[in-house]
Amino acid sequence: VAANTASNPLQLLPLKLVDKCKEIVGMLLGFDGSVNMALEDVTEFEITPEGRRITKLDRILLNGSNIIMLVPGGEGSEV
């Protein structure tokens, strides 16, 4: 698989793809059977071509189909 990735830069290995995703850190208020989550005191970390972008939000509703990984009690990215 690594050889294919070298010849096709658009193809990413799974962990490299996870590294390119947004990271959202916040206090969980609740969730449902589809893992839709209500979060408060949210910080969103995103890597963009211009650099790292940090966005603070009071509350969000996160669609469960957009979640790839959960880290309960995690510290999140360093600010």
Side-chain angles (χ1 to χ4, degrees), residues 70-76:
L70 296 173
V71 181
E75 295 295 321

Side-chain angles (χ1 to χ4, degrees), residues 13-22 47 68:
L13 295 173
L15 290 178
K16 292 292 184 186
L17 182 59
V18 169
D19 288 342
K20 292 185 172 289
C21 294
K22 291 182 184 181
I47 305 300
I68 3 180

Side-chain angles (χ1 to χ4, degrees), residues 22-76:
K22 291 182 184 181
E23 182 176 348
I24 298 176
V25 178
M27 180 67 67
L28 178 65
L29 297 175
F31 63 95
D32 64 11
S34 299
V35 197
N36 298 312
M37 295 183 182
L39 302 169
E40 71 177 356
D41 298 327
V42 176
T43 305
E44 178 185 54
F45 301 93
E46 183 177 12
I47 305 300
T48 67
E50 294 80 31
R52 188 171 187 216
R53 180 172 41 196
I54 299 173
T55 306
K56 301 265 187 186
L57 303 163
D58 291 330
R59 285 191 177 178
I60 64 167
L61 178 60
L62 184 60
N63 185 319
S65 65
N66 294 321
I67 299 171
I68 3 180
M69 184 184 311
L70 296 173
V71 181
E75 295 295 321

Side-chain angles (χ1 to χ4, degrees), residues 2-16:
N4 286 341
T5 303
S7 63
N8 184 0
L10 298 177
Q11 182 179 0
L12 295 173
L13 295 173
L15 290 178
K16 292 292 184 186

